[in-house]
Amino acid sequence: MEAVAPDAFGVQRYGFHGLSYEYIASVLPQVAPEIAAGRVIVAHLGSGASLCALKNGKSIDSTLGFTALDGLCMGTRPGAVDPGVILYMFQTLGLSASEIETILYRKSGLLGISGISSDMRVLLESKEPSAGLAVDYFVYRVAREIGALTATLGGLDGLVFTAGIGENSAEIRSRIGAASAWLGIEIDQVANAGRGQQRISKAGGRVPVWVIPTNEELMIARHTGAQLALVEARVQETRA
């Protein structure tokens, strides 16, 4: 049988959280000019989670793919999973496509591992071993992918945390930093305990680490404004 290229089916690796990464890239020259033109990994960590590798402000790689199921463990999504697992669900467990879709999008990730909650705050407060396992796995996956994207970039000049967990959980940032210490990441625990836009790495550390709140709504507004301006220009041309 003749092989068919994946893009013949409309299958491409799109990546997601683009608005968030676009915003972070746009403010880096003002907020953290020392890393803006370098090799930066942005960690968008929330109910949906992903990492993006930036080089000179341009996206080089992302942990997400054709859908938002790939990459990191998330609130209710598993992240990267062996395709054979999906076949097993079909062939051995006899699950329908709809049932598998529900499992992958709504019953996996932190919720599926812990059996308690998809909310990182709840899991961090829980004493249940399954909650601890879910948190450990989340940190492990993030640290592993930071290492992989560092290889893609050929080094690391900066790390940025953003989104719900990335902006608000000092403990998760600290644990990811500790797991990534081999890259030269050293978290200043005093700075890390603060809130808002700030550098949280130790002074003199090899890899600057920042917390920068994202603003996807602003990017939506900017793109909408640009499209409206384009439409208005075309209308004016038609009337001329």
Side-chain angles (χ1 to χ4, degrees), residues 5-50:
D7 58 5
F9 299 106
V11 176
Q12 297 182 32
R13 188 170 181 223
Y14 294 101
F16 292 83
H17 294 141
L19 292 170
S20 178
Y21 295 130
E22 182 181 12
Y23 175 78
I24 297 299
S26 73
V27 300
L28 274 180
Q30 292 75 45
V31 176
E34 74 275 21
I35 64 173
R39 299 161 297 182
V40 178
I41 292 175
V42 183
H44 179 108
L45 306 180
S47 180
S50 68

Side-chain angles (χ1 to χ4, degrees), residues 2 8 26 34 40 46 48 72 81 88 119 140 177 181 209 229 237:
E2 184 178 352
S26 73
E34 74 275 21
V40 178
L72 306 178
V81 61
Y88 175 78
D119 192 320
Y140 161 75
V209 182
E237 289 177 2

Side-chain angles (χ1 to χ4, degrees), residues 142-155:
V142 174
R144 174 176 165 177
E145 294 302 325
I146 287 175
L149 290 183
T150 298
T152 298
L153 289 168

